[in-house]
Amino acid sequence: MPAADTYFPILLLFVIAVVLAGVILLIARLITRFAIKPREGEAKYTVYESGVNPLGDARLRFSIKFYLVAMIFIIFDIEVVFFYPWAVVFRDMVKESPLILWEMLVFVAILALGYAYVWRKGGLDWD
Amino acid sequence: MSANGKPQTIEKLVDAFGGAVLHTGEALGEWSAVVALDSIHAALQFLASDSELAYEHLSDLTAVDLSQLNRAEPGLDGARYAVVYHLYSPQNETRLRVKTPVTDENPTAPTVSDIWAAAGWAEREVYDMFGIAFENHPDLRRILMPDNFTSHPLRKDYPTKGLGERAAFNFETSASNLVGKSDSTDRGEDAIESETMVLNIGPQHPATHGTLHLEVELDGERIVRATPHLGYLHTGFEKLAEAMHWNQWIVVTDRMNYLSPLSNNFGYVLAVEKLIGVEIPKRAQYIRVALAELARIADYMVWLGTHALDIGAFTAFLYAFQQREKAYEIFEACAGARLTISYTRVGGLFYDAPESFEPMMRAFVKEFTDEALPEIEKLLSRNRIWIDRTQGVGVISAEEAVSYGLTGPCLRGSGVRRDLRKTEPYSSYEEFEFDVPVGASGDTYDRYLVRLEELRQSCRIITQALDNMPDGPVNVEDHKLRFADKSHVYKTPDHTHPYDPTQPYGSIEGLIHHFKVNMDGHGVPVPAGEAYCATESPNGELGFYIVSDGSGTPYRVRVRPPSFYNYQSLPRLLEGHMMSDVVTALGSLNVIAGELDR
Amino acid sequence: MSAWIMAAFMLTAAAGAVMVILYRNPVYSALSLVLTMFALSAIYVMMGAYFIAVAQALVYAGAIVVLFLFVIMLLNLRNQQALKESFGLRAAVGALLGALFIGVAGGTMWAVLSPDQFSKSAEVFKDEGHTESLARLLFKNNLVPFEAVSLILLAALIGVVVLIRFHGRPSSDNSEESNDA
Amino acid sequence: MELAATAAKAVFIVAFILAIVPMLVLGERKVSGWIQDRHGPNRVGPGGLLQPLADGIKFLAKEVLAPKSVDRKLYFAAPALLLVPALMSGAIIPWSKPIPADSFIGNLLSAENWSPDGIPFQLARIDVGVLYFLAIVSLGVYGVILAGWASNNKYTLLGGLRASAQVISYELSLGLSILAVLLMAGTLQVDKIVEQQAGAGWFIFYQPVAWFLFSVTALAETNRAPFDLAECEQELVGGYHTEYSGMTFATFFLAEYGNMAMSSALNVSLFLGGWTLFGLEEMIPWYLTFLIFIGKVLLFLFVFLWVRWTFPRFRFDQLMRLGWKMALPLALGNVIVTAGAIALHEMWSAPLWPVMAAGQLALIGAVVLTSVLNARADAQRSQA
């Protein structure tokens, strides 16, 4: 079961990593609680805003631009995911017929069309 | 100048406004005019826009409380305050002082911020310090003092000693006033719009290098609005001057632009010397020039280092600071101090420069021009990221730069060739050969290039000063002005020997001399009068406007701080820019809080 | 052993899905969704569909939920009152629709996929190997659907730009006006 | 025994990151000191070598405090969410050639019983190797965005947003630059990619453009200067981790430097031949190949540091432009050019290297041409 070719080692690593992260944070909290005498003070527990009192909540609606980037990213990400299996078999399959090359070129061309459209419409400009 | 000795300006002014010009006069080579309050706006408008006069530059705007002045100022009878405008015409290279009387009851004056953008903050400061309201001012609030402060500290009835209103002032309740509008606007749940975020940059922020406070409103990364708040380092230097002897205040000037303290010392004593009408020995002038240029180099090194650091080039910061350290070693050799050196005195210098002065300076200049500067340039000037970050950022056109009262490298970056060392040479600057570099586009990159070239020119000046350094004393021979030699006051052969507490006094004569120069009422004899003396400090025009009533202390000292006017243009520079450009534009102005707030 | 691990992941996935609904705070809901995606990914691994598992993590957990988080922050659902108010009626309708969905989906699966087909589909991945076999399937046998995907994505891309332009532009102008007000 | 080997390897990966991060921090300070003409840490221990220890003690002894207005659960979960992916990304790295079954460790684990060809020094020799790395790295963005959001501070929020927008913008180029290698290697398995390079030569010689892109995007993905906009102290004070202190802050540090080390390790494996060294690896024992690998990684990390202390920082719009308008088309173009070259090679058996080199040169030429044209257009615009 725990051969290097399976996914079990990753599960193992995941468990170790989670435990380690938890232990680090736990130790930190414990040290804070028992080994350090925290100095009290209201100002200490306020968030930083360059030395003035922070007013209002920092969680506010932010620029729609971030949203656009995320959406475009998803679409391209899905497209890129198709590239990986293609790349893996490309060298073998192209020996048989160049079809695989044309396939992907068509795919990329359509993708590039969309990319050009987004660029043209200013979707890639931050301003 | 016309036949009767009056300059064209005065003549045209009198022609145009006749009886409203209450008085004109000349003193110490400066012309001044007193204009009645109801015509002052029109008169200034005329002076600024007349094509022959073209006083495009409002050097400074301030006020004087006349209530305890022991002489009658012509044209200002019965007035409690005089609002003073210092104008400069780049076209004719002339200066003019215009005053207008303001009465005690309900003191108001018309705003001139519509004529010169520079007046905006200056009028706020006058409002803050004197309580003179400016009609039609777009944003008349206190600027240096807390918003709920009720007194006006530069009025003569505000005490120079003791605490004044501060004794009873509760800062806690005023803290929120300093924050300004900080909450975000909520537009209800239906609107799927981005909210703007109000972010306070400073007063405790790594990029503000001091206690600057900039309130920016952001839409995502884009700046919608930027509002600077001042006064965190306001220390009342101008009020302090009214309680200090002429030489004592030199120490205070160190604290203004603390990156190049000598430039402040220099500017102040020049103003006092102008009032006294004394010419100091050539050697002292040359040493002052050489050290002023060294101070400029040290100042620019801090500017360059921190500016580069703000843009993320950490290494350039340390390279620059290394050079500053070396410059400070020379200051240390001369004055015994590195930062607050107080090296100049009215009538000369504290000490003569030491033997090691010349070799140290030459070694510094050689290393600086041959190695350090090229290295920093290599790191930045042609670096693609650096160019992308600075080019086209914080652009200000030449006209706007003049209107905002920008001076120094910030003005020259916009292509205006104005350098007081050339246009109004002082302290033998006319004997030196150097160029005045100007930029083309007025962006951050041009201001950077201008400063770099000025560093080279400063080295040129230093070399010339060393080559032609005259021999002789470094103080005027007038014993009423110059300090007693330390060796005459303390019993040590010269100042390099340690102080001996068992034998504290050198000679009774030396001690009396020392006593006389320092004591109130006996000290430096400054005649009654007024003078405005401007020098080219690293940040631009550093002007001292001094009113003397002939006593042992100044009646009023007004500093024209270049940073104050430069900083005022920041919201304009940031229009339409992004969050990251805040630090870029701010860095390119090199605002020094000590000088800004005084 | 393997079955137990599988069961654990299945439970995690289900628990994550439930938490998505139960959390009042939408950020927590989104994070629960990540948990579900993560568990799903592990389930795919256990079924031998390695590439799908990684694609799941890469696209869903790495991109789509990030977008969800952005949207949540964009909308800033500060007042959770709106969610609470009409909980009664909506819950009832939701439960009804949910039951209907499960019935239809389960029935379809039961009808179309017999248990031995389940195991067969797993066998395909197990035997022939992983990414390569998938690639051959995709680029040889399912050529037209593959190219169709690119067209769908193109449509999505254009849709994004049109929507954002439509909503984005006026709002940035509005914001300044309402500030002054 | 196999389980023991697996567990040992998993522990090794975690230990490696925990060990290399302090070394990196010290190295960073030493290198920056050297670049900047100063000493760097030199007080604790000989030549400052114990400085990381002192740092660690300081971090541990600091109070972990959360401001009152934070979302406490997420605030404390965020560092862990960043650290776990950083620790996990090393699973697919082949650290050396397989440990022979008759070596000391092989005997210790009685390897001839279960792995007579030697124990692979790679935790998970999985089929989707490289993709696993990408997927894990893409999960790291949660830690950043949640740290920014949970802290309820405007600086952290901006930092978190910047970081996430930046990471997703560069992830595409990262994936596409790897694709060129996959096209050549025909596999996603990192150990096979390394073995191929032992025979055919390092892929950097075939794919310099892809290598450059990968290195740059890796800098951006790990939020390193000049792409450190998410935490740049001069604008955002500390970015998303402004409100963290003590060990919680140290955890962010650990994750950042761990990511840096792991992306360097992947870079070395994909482009610089991993543990191979021009055939030398055949002659030397496995532990020396391990040292070769570590040496290459350290060389790479040095470049990371060098870049940081040399370049100024990008502005956000410039960063996005670089990612979307330059890196992405270039990476895509590289994939097509590479595919074309391979097709030529496979179908008409054109010699691989010249075809590939021609393609790379064409790409570089195209980049130079566009930048020249852009510069000319800019100049014309500024004149007008």
Side-chain angles (χ1 to χ4, degrees), chain B residues 299-586:
Chain B
D299 185 294
Y300 282 9
M301 280 298 109
V302 179
W303 157 78
L304 178 63
T306 52
H307 187 36
L309 178 66
D310 287 346
I311 301 182
F314 197 105
T315 297
F317 168 74
L318 282 146
Y319 286 176
F321 263 60
Q322 233 176 21
Q323 297 306 311
R324 184 186 85 134
E325 283 307 305
K326 287 178 180 156
Y328 275 12
E329 271 161 30
I330 298 175
F331 285 123
E332 191 180 1
C334 292
R338 293 166 72 84
L339 190 69
T340 51
I341 58 174
S342 303
Y343 187 49
T344 61
R345 288 293 179 273
V346 175
L349 298 168
F350 189 20
Y351 298 122
D352 196 355
E355 295 269 299
S356 58
F357 176 70
E358 191 182 332
M360 279 176 96
M361 285 287 251
R362 285 196 193 278
F364 174 81
V365 168
K366 183 165 167 37
E367 198 208 322
F368 187 77
T369 46
D370 291 354
E371 288 169 37
L373 201 54
E375 195 167 34
I376 293 168
E377 279 194 301
K378 206 162 67 187
L379 213 51
L380 299 177
S381 293
R382 287 177 57 80
N383 185 321
R384 191 70 234 171
I385 304 177
W386 178 264
I387 293 172
D388 281 348
R389 280 300 302 277
T390 53
Q391 251 175 12
V393 173
V395 184
I396 189 160
S397 67
E399 296 80 50
E400 270 185 300
V402 168
S403 171
Y404 269 103
L406 294 192
T407 47
C410 298
L411 180 68
R412 294 191 283 272
S414 296
V416 181
R417 199 177 296 273
R418 176 163 180 240
D419 188 323
L420 297 179
R421 293 174 295 177
K422 282 278 189 207
T423 55
E424 298 158 72
Y426 50 90
S427 191
S428 305
Y429 261 115
E430 66 279 2
E431 292 165 20
F432 293 92
E433 255 181 53
F434 61 97
D435 301 324
V436 180
V438 289
S441 53
D443 60 6
T444 302
Y445 187 64
D446 278 13
R447 290 192 280 274
Y448 159 80
L449 289 181
V450 162
R451 281 196 173 95
L452 279 198
E453 184 52 35
E454 282 179 17
L455 285 168
R456 291 224 162 71
Q457 299 303 327
S458 288
C459 288
R460 260 178 88 185
I461 296 174
I462 291 175
T463 312
Q464 290 172 48
L466 296 175
D467 288 345
N468 308 322
M469 181 70 73
D471 282 331
V474 294
N475 275 301
V476 287
E477 286 305 315
D478 186 347
H479 284 267
K480 284 186 169 172
L481 274 182
R482 62 173 293 187
F483 276 84
D485 196 301
K486 283 268 158 137
S487 61
H488 297 156
V489 183
Y490 307 110
K491 192 171 184 179
T492 48
D494 61 66
H495 61 78
T496 57
H497 283 66
Y499 168 67
D500 180 2
T502 58
Q503 291 289 331
Y505 310 122
S507 65
I508 190 66
E509 292 81 7
L511 198 65
I512 290 171
H513 182 190
H514 184 78
F515 179 83
K516 287 279 282 181
V517 173
N518 276 296
M519 275 307 287
D520 196 3
H522 299 265
V524 178
V526 180
E530 59 184 346
Y532 178 81
C533 178
T535 56
E536 184 73 25
S537 87
N539 270 339
E541 178 178 337
L542 176 69
F544 288 88
Y545 170 57
I546 301 180
V547 180
S548 165
D549 57 0
S551 70
T553 55
Y555 182 78
R556 163 105 174 96
V557 174
R558 157 69 184 173
V559 186
R560 188 247 183 234
S563 287
F564 188 77
Y565 289 93
N566 291 354
Y567 192 34
Q568 193 179 355
S569 68
L570 186 67
R572 166 69 194 76
L573 293 185
L574 288 178
E575 267 169 27
H577 279 306
M578 308 192 71
M579 170 70 189
S580 301
D581 296 328
V582 173
V583 293
T584 313
L586 187 61

Side-chain angles (χ1 to χ4, degrees), chain B residues 231-272:
Chain B
Y232 287 91
L233 212 59
H234 176 58
T235 328
F237 286 173
E238 291 175 10
K239 187 76 176 174
L240 265 167
E242 294 170 18
M244 283 179 153
H245 315 154
W246 295 94
N247 268 318
Q248 256 180 334
W249 201 64
I250 293 171
V251 180
V252 175
T253 61
D254 279 336
R255 274 84 182 160
M256 275 173 354
N257 183 348
Y258 38 74
L259 301 185
S260 51
L262 188 109
S263 305
N264 310 327
N265 301 163
F266 190 13
Y268 170 65
V269 294
L270 270 179
V272 179

Side-chain angles (χ1 to χ4, degrees), chain A residues 81 84-85, chain C residues 51 54-55 58 131, chain D residues 128-136 182 188:
Chain A
V81 162
Y84 294 110
Chain C
F51 183 80
V54 164
L58 200 62
T131 315
Chain D
V128 289
V130 178
L131 277 183
Y132 164 82
F133 190 93
L134 288 180
I136 289 293
L182 301 183
L188 286 164

